[in-house]
Amino acid sequence: MIILAGTPIGNDADATDRLRLALAQADLIAAEDTRRLLNLVGRLGVEIHAPVVPFHDHNEAEKSADLLQAAQAGRQVLVVSDAGMPAISDPGYRLVALAREAQVPVTVIPGPSAVLTAVALAGLPTDRFTFAGFVPRKEGERQNFLQDLAGLSHTLVFFDSPRRLAQTLQDMAKILGDTRLAAVCRELTKTHEEVVRLELGQLAQWVLSQEVRGEIVIVVAGLREDAKDLTAFVPEVKELAALGLRLKSAATHVAKRENLRPNDLYRAVLQEQAE
């Protein structure tokens, strides 16, 4: 059997009894970072007897076949990531896909999740949400990535690096809308846990005065239902622009007449042009 086990995302006290037992009983442990795993079991006071092998982004395709073969041979294979749940923006997906094809049993030991923790803390709708994974590093890819998500009406969840957070929030404010409610969640479950809830434009300003460290989760509200009606006014804005009026001025003129937010209408026009 292959077991995917969730590990603490910051607070060792969140380690479950099932995780401790699985670590002690495993025949083979595949860890995203072997040193971190050995540090964790040491802090938990768990004695492991299984060999620990590296299983990360750079060797997942190669090692998945070996782990599958071990499970087929009757060994209990335990897969753990640095923090949180394997296969969720961490290694594990390819292994599970191979196991499904080979009809090898797979089970999960539930554990802490940065995604669910952030969604619960953000104060935004939780009935539907999309986890979009890590925000792309390159500017062009990041902007296209955000543009693809701009029209979704449910909550969006992202992982990001503290080094790129300022640029990410600026792009989010520009593409998703500076008045969208959002939350930056940092160091979840740790001593210095912090959740900052503001509009995206305000967050883009806030981050400039901060020295942000630690793991980052960004939660953003979906597009408001009433914002979708803006598309009906886009043709008029474009017609005014074709007559010589600056695009932003045209959007402002129409928005004020229709009691709309000028920036929202302006972004709707830009979005249609991009498409």
Side-chain angles (χ1 to χ4, degrees), residues 66-99:
D66 295 338
L67 297 177
L68 181 65
Q69 187 175 20
Q72 289 173 318
R75 303 175 75 183
Q76 186 163 288
V77 179
L78 180 67
V79 180
V80 294
S81 58
D82 286 349
M85 182 59 61
I88 308 300
S89 283
D90 278 328
Y93 158 71
R94 292 181 179 86
L95 175 60
V96 174
L98 286 176

Side-chain angles (χ1 to χ4, degrees), residues 7-219:
T7 54
I9 60 176
N11 191 324
D12 289 345
D14 292 333
T16 66
D17 290 339
R18 284 188 66 196
L19 171 63
R20 296 169 186 268
L21 187 62
L23 287 166
Q25 293 183 343
D27 298 311
L28 178 63
I29 301 175
E32 185 178 7
D33 187 316
T34 56
R35 290 172 298 181
R36 290 193 181 187
L37 185 276
L38 293 175
N39 285 335
L40 174 64
V41 296
R43 296 195 304 272
L44 296 179
V46 175
E47 185 175 351
I48 60 174
H49 306 281
V52 179
V53 297
F55 186 58
H56 46 69
D57 289 336
H58 301 295
N59 72 355
E60 182 181 2
E62 172 191 351
K63 288 293 184 182
S64 290
D66 295 338
L67 297 177
L68 181 65
Q69 187 175 20
Q72 289 173 318
R75 303 175 75 183
Q76 186 163 288
V77 179
L78 180 67
V79 180
V80 294
S81 58
D82 286 349
M85 182 59 61
I88 308 300
S89 283
D90 278 328
Y93 158 71
R94 292 181 179 86
L95 175 60
V96 174
L98 286 176
R100 181 188 60 200
E101 293 176 3
Q103 297 186 336
V104 170
V106 179
T107 191
V108 169
I109 296 177
S113 165
V115 176
L116 296 181
T117 302
V119 168
L121 284 172
L124 296 172
T126 60
D127 53 336
R128 291 182 63 205
F129 63 88
T130 291
F131 172 53
F134 280 94
V135 179
R137 298 183 180 188
K138 296 182 179 179
E139 181 178 4
E141 293 178 3
R142 181 171 60 246
Q143 292 177 352
N144 290 335
F145 168 78
L146 293 172
Q147 193 68 58
D148 288 342
L149 299 169
L152 296 181
S153 59
H154 48 270
T155 300
L156 306 172
V157 189
F158 308 87
F159 285 165
D160 200 23
S161 162
R163 297 187 301 276
R164 296 187 296 274
L165 182 60
Q167 187 58 59
T168 293
L169 290 172
Q170 289 177 26
D171 284 345
M172 284 183 170
K174 177 182 177 181
I175 296 169
L176 302 182
D178 56 6
T179 60
R180 279 212 207 188
L181 293 176
V184 171
C185 307
R186 186 183 71 86
E187 295 287 80
L188 292 173
T189 77
K190 298 179 182 178
T191 302
H192 300 292
E193 176 180 283
E194 181 180 24
V195 180
V196 182
R197 305 175 184 87
L198 294 168
E199 293 180 350
L200 277 173
Q202 295 170 324
L203 283 172
Q205 292 300 314
W206 163 82
V207 73
L208 296 178
S209 62
Q210 306 296 314
E211 185 178 359
V212 182
R213 297 180 180 179
E215 302 293 330
I216 302 294
V217 186
I218 307 170
V219 187

